[in-house]
Amino acid sequence: LTSEKRRVKQELKRYDSEFRKQYKRLPMHNDKEPMRPLYVYYRRLKTMLAHAEQSARGAGGRRSGAAPRDGDDDEGPTGLRLAPRDTPPAPPVDGEEAAEGGATAKDQIALLEARITSLQSEKSGVRARLQAFQERFLIENNRKIRFHKDILPIEREYRMYKQLKEEIMKAEAQMRDLQRG
C-alpha cells in the first residue's frame, strides 16, 4: 500500500508539474478537476494505511504530537482537497490484517475494485454531459460535430473522459495481475 500511495502521489505531483510547464502557473482548484478520481483514490489509500498502522500498533492511535509521515496532510500531496462526488467510503479490511508496511492481495484487490467503481461512476457523469452537448449542438447547428472548434466549449470534458477510460483500463489490468499472482 505504501508504494502504491507513493506512486499515486508522484502522479499527482507530475500533473502539477506538467500543468505548470504548459500554462506557466500552478493549477487552481478547478484545473485539478480531471484528477478528482485520483485524489479520491489517494485519500482511500491513506485511510487504508492508517488503519493498517493502527492494527499493527494495536488499538492505540498516533502518539500525541507525532507528525504525519512522508509530508502527508489531510489535503493530499499538493495541498488540494477535492471532495468526492457520490463515491462510496473506502472498503473495510475483511478480517485480514495488513502485513508490516504492506497489504494482502485481498486488500489491494478491494482497493482497486473501489477505485474502478469510483472511476466508472465519474466516467458515466462525464459521458452524460458529452452526450447532452452533442445533442444540443445538433439541434443548434443542424449538423453533427465534425471539427475541433466544435468541441472547444467542452474540450476539457473530452480529455477527462479519455483520461478516465485510461485509468479504468490500468486499474483493471492491475487487478487482473493481482488475481493471477
Side-chain angles (χ1 to χ4, degrees):
L1 278 178
T2 304
S3 62
E4 175 68 359
K5 180 181 147 244
R6 205 172 291 126
R7 185 193 68 77
V8 171
K9 185 174 183 176
Q10 284 304 114
E11 195 171 333
L12 292 167
K13 285 183 175 184
R14 186 172 46 248
Y15 176 83
D16 285 355
S17 174
E18 292 299 317
F19 187 94
R20 188 173 192 168
K21 283 179 192 173
Q22 185 173 357
Y23 297 103
K24 308 290 187 244
R25 65 177 175 85
L26 286 173
M28 301 189 54
H29 185 74
N30 62 338
D31 296 322
K32 293 186 180 191
E33 189 66 27
M35 300 302 286
R36 174 184 294 275
L38 204 53
Y39 276 98
V40 170
Y41 180 57
Y42 179 79
R43 276 198 311 279
R44 286 187 180 150
L45 285 170
K46 283 179 61 175
T47 302
M48 292 291 286
L49 273 170
H51 290 301
E53 287 174 1
Q54 270 187 336
S55 296
R57 283 194 306 257
R62 180 183 282 166
R63 294 184 329 265
S64 64
R69 289 185 4 207
D70 197 34
D72 289 343
D73 54 26
D74 289 335
E75 290 153 356
T78 56
L80 176 67
R81 185 181 193 94
L82 284 175
R85 289 186 192 163
D86 301 323
T87 54
V93 177
D94 296 335
E96 291 186 31
E97 295 296 319
E100 310 224 352
T104 64
K106 192 173 183 179
D107 293 340
Q108 292 175 356
I109 289 170
L111 273 173
L112 284 169
E113 287 172 343
R115 181 174 187 216
I116 290 168
T117 301
S118 172
L119 290 169
Q120 287 173 334
S121 171
E122 186 77 11
K123 182 182 145 207
S124 295
V126 173
R127 184 178 59 234
R129 291 193 302 271
L130 291 173
Q131 287 174 336
F133 176 81
Q134 289 174 352
E135 291 167 6
R136 278 193 317 272
F137 185 90
L138 182 62
I139 292 168
E140 293 171 3
N141 298 288
N142 296 321
R143 66 177 176 86
K144 290 183 177 181
I145 294 173
R146 288 188 298 206
F147 307 107
H148 183 263
K149 68 177 183 172
D150 295 342
I151 65 163
L152 286 178
I154 199 162
E155 182 178 18
R156 192 176 115 208
E157 280 81 358
Y158 273 101
R159 287 194 179 146
M160 185 188 311
Y161 185 75
K162 181 180 176 187
Q163 182 181 7
L164 287 167
K165 283 174 51 174
E166 289 170 359
E167 287 295 318
I168 289 168
M169 287 175 39
K170 285 180 192 174
E172 287 173 342
Q174 284 178 320
M175 194 162 65
R176 279 192 303 274
D177 290 345
L178 280 172
Q179 288 169 338
R180 281 190 216 128

